Amino acid sequence: MSPAPVRTSVIVVSRHRPEHLSLCLRGLAQLDHPDFEVIVVADPEGLAVTEALPVKSILFDEANISAARNAGIVVAAAPVIAFIDDDAVPEPTWLCRLTTPFADPRVVAAGGFVRGRNGISYQWKASQTDQLGVSRGLSVAEGQATLLPPPPEGAIRTEGTNCAFRRDAVAALGGFDPAFRFYLDETDLNLRLTTSGGLTAIVPGAQVHHGFAASARRRADRTPTDLHEIGASSAVFWRKHAPADAIRKAREALLEAQRMRLENYVADGRLPRAALGPLILSLTEGLDAGEARPINPLPGIGPASDAFLPFPAGPRPRRIIAGRIWQARAKRAEAARAVAQGAVVSLFLFAPSIRRHRVRFHPEGYWEQSGGLWGKSDRDQPAFAPWRFAARLRHEIAQIAPFRGL
């Protein structure tokens, strides 16, 4: 018998992206988990999205995600706190899977897998970090959760858009460090949590789809527009965790890595060469600023200031709808009606082509996968495969079934 779901507070931080926040909340409403609350920490535009929803809303309009997350922790009334970005949408089974490992008292943190903008490829699986904040991938079994102890002089890393922690462990450490305004904030917390000796669970089945929406630091295609905070947060991280004699080389390595990254954007035509100088300057200025940024002691966070506020979710019926691409209008209307009737809907639209597949969570609340009947839906498939419609549909349903709860 599976352990009972762990009561959880889901915290979403949003700033100047109300449309994305609305989609994220719609996805949270389809979660199977029967016992969670939602806390939205957002600017006035974001809070307007939550007015008709049973969520805890906190006004916060500063460019500091660590401070915003701490504001959410203050009112979080569950023993486990989970985080998802406003430009991400969870699969319906996400929260149940992510929080199940906390039934083991040794577990202090958990992280799941993150799919990219096409809804199929992975942005993030599993990794560990060292004292310089450099991460390397970890190989884990993808059919089950893996419980990992802290590695020597490092930590198992979790990704901010798909992670969970024991509230009491994080609160005792003072939460996230506001000296990190958006970069390396979770990695810093991962390292500080290692002092407890607790385990981190990597949960491949706990999946979210991350859109990488535009922000003050990047365009919608992920092209950077400012590197100041990457530099500043890196410098703060090294001051807190790195051996003093390693910092100079770490700075040189970061500058070189970012130069190479920018050159790739130039080669792709997404960035004019004239932009390289100003971007590298923003990085070096950020590094200098981070060397002088105050690092203050973090007072512990007390018990929740607000009572638990249940969010109305829990198990819902599943519905599969499929058709040819020329039936898209009718099939999408059918999917929207099924969502309105309370179902979690997966819509498949196949075209007579070899076009690659794409998965998205539609604004009307259903999951849509579209692509060529003979095209690739993952990178290991051939560019062309002679599928028949029914067989292709069965294959794609089997691919998503573990995450969609089919």
Side-chain angles (χ1 to χ4, degrees):
M1 180 179 293
S2 300
V6 179
R7 174 170 282 191
T8 304
S9 298
V10 178
I11 300 173
V12 188
V13 173
S14 183
R15 190 165 187 260
H16 304 166
R17 299 198 296 212
E19 296 86 2
H20 291 90
L21 174 61
S22 180
L23 198 64
C24 175
L25 292 171
R26 186 148 201 177
L28 291 175
Q30 294 189 6
L31 292 177
D32 282 349
H33 198 294
D35 192 20
F36 70 98
E37 64 178 0
V38 174
I39 300 164
V40 176
V41 186
D43 62 311
E45 292 176 287
L47 293 191
V49 170
T50 72
E51 286 180 355
L53 299 174
V55 304
K56 294 178 179 177
S57 300
I58 301 172
L59 178 61
F60 191 96
D61 194 5
E62 300 174 24
N64 190 320
I65 194 170
S66 294
R69 285 172 169 164
N70 288 346
I73 295 171
V74 167
V75 303
V80 170
I81 48 176
F83 295 89
I84 186 170
D85 287 351
D86 64 348
D87 60 349
V89 178
E91 287 280 1
T93 59
W94 167 66
L95 195 60
C96 279
R97 292 175 180 267
L98 184 65
T99 60
T100 293
F102 290 95
D104 186 327
R106 300 173 298 166
V107 173
V108 296
F113 281 15
V114 180
R115 293 189 185 259
R117 297 178 68 173
N118 65 8
I120 294 173
S121 302
Y122 285 104
Q123 278 178 9
W124 171 274
K125 285 190 172 182
S127 72
Q128 68 180 51
T129 187
D130 62 19
Q131 294 169 304
L132 297 176
V134 176
S135 296
R136 64 177 181 84
L138 289 174
S139 178
V140 296
E142 297 198 8
Q144 61 187 34
T146 300
L147 307 186
L148 299 170
E153 299 184 342
I156 305 301
R157 189 178 169 202
T158 57
E159 182 70 4
T161 193
N162 186 357
C163 60
F165 305 93
R166 284 199 191 277
R167 185 191 187 278
D168 58 359
V170 172
L173 294 174
F176 293 84
D177 189 342
F180 299 93
R181 295 175 186 168
F182 95 96
Y183 183 66
L184 291 173
D185 49 325
E186 305 100 346
T187 309
D188 169 71
L189 180 60
N190 294 148
L191 276 167
R192 289 190 287 127
L193 278 170
T194 62
T195 59
S196 72
L199 305 181
T200 296
I202 301 298
V203 193
Q207 299 202 356
V208 305
H209 295 246
H210 189 211
F212 266 120
S215 72
R217 299 172 299 273
R218 66 172 183 245
R219 300 202 305 255
D221 64 357
R222 299 180 66 180
T223 303
T225 57
D226 184 90
L227 299 176
H228 183 278
E229 193 53 41
I230 287 179
S233 289
S234 295
V236 170
F237 189 91
W238 300 329
R239 289 166 59 199
K240 291 188 68 173
H241 301 292
D245 59 1
I247 293 178
R248 181 181 61 81
K249 287 187 176 180
R251 179 177 174 128
E252 293 171 354
L254 177 66
L255 285 164
E256 180 59 24
Q258 291 297 322
R259 283 193 188 96
M260 292 177 63
R261 175 188 174 211
L262 296 176
E263 286 287 356
N264 288 335
Y265 284 116
V266 172
D268 289 345
R270 288 188 281 173
L271 195 67
R273 183 160 294 278
L276 265 63
L279 281 167
I280 290 297
L281 179 61
S282 72
L283 178 63
T284 56
E285 289 178 344
L287 285 163
D288 293 342
E291 290 176 359
R293 182 176 289 176
I295 301 176
N296 298 313
L298 301 177
I301 299 173
S305 60
D306 292 24
F308 186 79
L309 179 62
F311 192 76
R316 299 170 66 173
R318 269 42 174 181
R319 176 88 181 272
I320 300 292
I321 298 173
R324 312 283 182 170
I325 194 65
W326 53 84
Q327 300 172 303
R329 177 178 293 183
K331 294 298 181 180
R332 286 170 177 152
E334 182 182 352
R337 288 193 298 271
V339 170
Q341 294 166 0
V344 174
V345 178
S346 299
L347 170 63
F348 297 87
L349 296 171
F350 299 145
S353 72
I354 59 170
R355 186 166 64 91
R356 291 191 176 193
H357 285 224
R358 177 176 181 266
V359 175
R360 66 168 181 154
F361 187 69
H362 193 278
E364 294 199 39
Y366 55 85
W367 294 91
E368 178 181 309
Q369 179 171 334
S370 60
L373 178 61
W374 313 300
K376 296 175 68 169
S377 61
D378 68 60
R379 66 180 59 188
D380 296 327
Q381 291 176 334
F384 170 82
W387 291 99
R388 291 184 179 275
F389 188 96
R392 186 63 193 260
L393 179 61
R394 287 194 298 270
H395 175 81
E396 298 306 328
I397 290 173
Q399 293 293 100
I400 66 165
F403 319 114
R404 202 70 46 83
L406 299 176

